[in-house]
């Protein structure tokens, strides 16, 4: 009976220790978010004019203007 209590206590302390240590990597996800936003802005800046021209060309073909 005493052995079961010791094991249960050790398990509880281990689980609580893991929960306390698991805080997450805030700088990591912030960096990933900023890099993703930067890539979107860069791709938009490079491909924006070409996509606008393609869209206008498609509209002119459909409308016959």
């Amino acid at each position: 009976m005493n052995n079961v209590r010791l094991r249960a206590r050790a398990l509880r302390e281990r689980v609580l220790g893991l929960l306390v240590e698991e805080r997450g990597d805030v700088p990591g996800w912030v960096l990933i978010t900023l890099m993703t936003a930067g890539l979107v802005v860069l791709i938009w800046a490079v491909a924006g004019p070409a996509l606008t021209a393609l869209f206008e060309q498609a509209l002119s073909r459909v409308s016959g203007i």
Side-chain angles (χ1 to χ4, degrees), residues 13-15 18-21 24 27 31-32 35 37-38 40 42-44 46 54 56 58 60-63:
E13 289 177 0
R14 184 173 179 188
V15 169
L18 289 174
L19 290 176
V20 170
E21 291 176 11
L31 182 62
I32 289 172
M35 289 175 62
V40 168
L42 180 68
I43 291 170
W44 193 304
V46 171
L54 184 67
E56 290 174 354
S60 67
R61 284 186 181 180
V62 169
S63 64

Side-chain angles (χ1 to χ4, degrees), residues 12-38:
R12 184 183 63 193
E13 289 177 0
R14 184 173 179 188
V15 169
L16 289 176
L18 289 174
L19 290 176
V20 170
E21 291 176 11
E22 191 65 35
R23 292 185 178 179
D25 188 13
V26 174
W29 68 260
V30 170
L31 182 62
I32 289 172
T33 303
L34 291 175
M35 289 175 62
T36 302

